[in-house]
């Protein structure tokens, strides 16, 4: 695994709006950090170093009225691995000839040096104006379909697509409407960090379909810090034995405490009753299996400690808000984002 942070430049133009820029900045900078902060689980992954750049590096008021403050001018910006151009506020009759000549020259030079170039929404107009999309499939906001047909006839526009990786080694990636920035972020995380980190980030930021509420995104949170060595020893044992039958009784025996005392101390130390803690661990492991394998639901149930698949399905839905099959559908698609769009390994 490449451990050097992926360097991402968010290229701003005078027409750049603010929401996508700052959304991408926060989500990409969270890689390797947000999951640890929320759950206490520290998983080493390749992080990302994100800079907002512009022609002169000066702060400017975006078309939405929000001030955007770049980190650097193009001449001073760190050499990027990835450049992203986000949505642009452009009037239907605007003239694009020579509008971004300096930025376009900078981007062409970066692309020729091997940098991956991305766009979100109408940011693809800038890529087309820079001559980077000729002969390639690309997507953009549906409202500029006619403009592409008139001005960039050599671009194979696919306005129905949300993400469209194209070109050798998929070094050009265009996204559809403004909301496609989250799909682009997860794609880049899956491709350059790891698919599992894309799933973790999606859970932290509730990215994807939220029509079923927050529960499908929720995970076993960080348990409260405690100094009860006996309970800590039971937790360590359970991490490797949660699937065995009657693990609560086994932990109670391991503790050497009377059953009522054990349960009281366990809840005081962790914030969970012993059985709730066991079920939470089992469901977390079931989520992982569903995200990463094709194991049938009955097999998943048995693997995490439930001999009755019907009970497992009911418990899973109560704790996550969705069935195991629906959960797999949601997160396999996130975790396999790079592969789904055909990105090279």
């Amino acid at each position: 695994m490449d451990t050097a942070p992926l360097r991402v430049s968010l290229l701003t133009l005078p027409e750049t709006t603010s929401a996508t820029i700052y959304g991408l900045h926060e989500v990409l900078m969270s890689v390797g950090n947000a999951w640890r902060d929320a759950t206490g689980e520290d998983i080493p992954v390749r992080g990302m170093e994100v800079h907002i750049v512009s022609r002169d590096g000066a702060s400017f008021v975006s078309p939405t009225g929000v001030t955007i403050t770049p980190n650097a001018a193009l001449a001073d910006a760190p050499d990027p691995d990835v450049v992203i151009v986000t949505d642009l506020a452009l009037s239907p009759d605007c003239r694009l000839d020579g509008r971004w000549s300096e930025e376009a020259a900078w981007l062409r030079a970066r692309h020729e040096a091997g940098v991956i170039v991305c766009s979100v929404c109408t940011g693809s107009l800038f890529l087309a104006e820079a001559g980077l999309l000729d002969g390639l499939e690309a997507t953009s906001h549906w409202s500029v379909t006619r403009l592409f047909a008139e001005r960039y006839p050599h671009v194979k526009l696919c306005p129905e697509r949300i993400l469209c990786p194209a070109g050798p080694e998929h070094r050009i990636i265009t996204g559809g409407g403004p909301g496609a920035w989250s799909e682009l972020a997860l794609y880049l995380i899956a491709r350059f960090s790891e698919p599992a980190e894309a799933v973790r980030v999606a859970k932290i930021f509730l990215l994807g379909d939220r029509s079923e509420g927050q529960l499908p995104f929720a995970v076993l949170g960080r348990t409260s810090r405690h100094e009860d060595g006996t309970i800590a020893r039971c937790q360590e044992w359970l991490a490797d034995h949660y699937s065995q039958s009657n693990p609560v009784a086994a932990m109670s025996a391991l503790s050497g405490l009377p059953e009522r005392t054990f349960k009281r101390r366990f809840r005081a130390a962790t914030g969970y009753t012993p059985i709730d803690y066991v079920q939470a661990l089992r469901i977390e492991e079931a989520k992982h299996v569903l995200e990463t394998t094709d194991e049938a639901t009955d097999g998943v149930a048995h693997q995490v400690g439930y001999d009755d698949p019907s009970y497992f399905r009911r418990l899973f839905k109560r704790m996550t808000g969705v069935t195991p099959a629906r959960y797999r559908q949601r997160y396999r698609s996130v975790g396999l984002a790079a592969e789904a769009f055909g990105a090279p390994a």
Side-chain angles (χ1 to χ4, degrees):
M1 180 181 71
D2 190 342
T3 58
L6 186 79
R7 297 184 302 275
V8 180
S9 287
L10 302 177
L11 175 59
T12 61
L13 306 167
E15 300 82 5
T16 298
T17 62
S18 55
T20 302
I21 281 286
Y22 287 115
L24 276 168
H25 190 283
E26 181 173 356
V27 169
L28 295 179
M29 285 292 288
S30 79
V31 173
N33 303 309
W35 186 260
R36 179 194 62 232
D37 295 343
T39 70
E41 186 180 14
D42 192 5
I43 303 173
V45 296
R46 185 184 188 185
M48 297 195 179
E49 181 182 293
V50 186
H51 297 91
I52 299 173
V53 301
S54 70
R55 179 186 298 184
D56 58 10
S59 296
F60 66 98
V61 178
S62 74
T64 58
V66 176
T67 298
I68 295 177
T69 303
N71 302 112
L74 297 182
D76 303 321
D79 291 333
D81 301 304
V82 176
V83 176
I84 306 175
V85 183
T86 60
D87 47 313
L88 306 172
L90 298 166
S91 62
D93 57 351
C94 66
R95 296 184 60 83
L96 301 181
D97 296 40
R99 193 181 187 101
W100 307 295
S101 57
E102 186 174 329
E103 293 93 338
W106 178 85
L107 188 64
R108 283 192 298 270
R110 302 286 85 68
H111 185 254
E112 289 169 5
V115 170
I116 292 167
V117 174
C118 311
S119 68
V120 177
C121 193
T122 50
S124 58
L125 289 170
F126 174 76
L127 270 58
E129 191 65 21
L132 295 178
L133 299 184
D134 286 351
L136 300 179
E137 290 187 342
T139 189
S140 189
H141 194 270
W142 54 265
S143 66
V144 295
T145 300
R146 182 176 175 180
L147 179 58
F148 261 91
E150 293 175 349
R151 186 168 179 81
Y152 311 111
H154 299 298
V155 178
K156 302 172 184 177
L157 193 67
C158 305
E160 74 281 1
R161 301 275 293 274
I162 297 298
L163 279 188
C164 192
E169 299 180 315
H170 286 175
R171 291 197 296 112
I172 299 281
I173 306 155
T174 53
W181 72 266
S182 60
E183 280 82 3
L184 176 62
L186 294 178
Y187 170 92
L188 293 173
I189 295 167
R191 181 170 169 179
F192 295 106
S193 182
E194 64 176 34
E197 179 67 3
V199 171
R200 291 187 286 266
V201 169
K203 291 177 180 179
I204 291 292
F205 288 94
L206 275 66
L207 300 179
D209 180 8
R210 295 183 291 274
S211 62
E212 291 155 319
Q214 287 200 62
L215 282 181
F217 301 92
V219 297
L220 175 63
R222 178 196 297 267
T223 58
S224 56
R225 294 181 179 275
H226 65 83
E227 298 181 357
D228 191 324
T230 298
I231 299 304
R233 188 168 68 254
C234 291
Q235 289 177 273
E236 291 172 3
W237 177 88
L238 184 65
D240 294 322
H241 300 88
Y242 57 82
S243 63
Q244 79 169 45
S245 61
N246 205 356
V248 173
M251 284 194 295
S252 181
L254 177 65
S255 73
L257 300 170
E259 182 180 353
R260 291 183 62 183
T261 302
F262 165 72
K263 290 180 177 179
R264 175 178 55 78
R265 281 177 55 176
F266 194 98
R267 182 161 193 167
T270 68
Y272 290 85
T273 65
I275 187 59
D276 285 345
Y277 191 82
V278 168
Q279 289 181 333
L281 281 182
R282 286 176 168 180
I283 294 301
E284 285 303 308
E285 179 59 23
K287 289 179 182 178
H288 176 71
V289 176
L290 291 166
E291 291 165 12
T292 57
T293 76
D294 294 316
E295 180 73 50
T297 300
D298 288 6
V300 175
H302 180 74
Q303 188 171 327
V304 301
Y306 295 106
D307 294 328
D308 182 349
S310 296
Y311 174 77
F312 167 72
R313 287 184 176 88
R314 292 194 301 273
L315 178 66
F316 191 95
K317 185 169 185 179
R318 175 166 64 82
M319 295 182 69
T320 69
V322 294
T323 64
R326 172 63 176 144
Y327 184 88
R328 168 175 275 153
Q329 181 184 34
R330 292 171 66 110
Y331 286 111
R332 289 294 314 268
S333 63
V334 174
L336 298 176
E339 292 87 342
F341 288 107

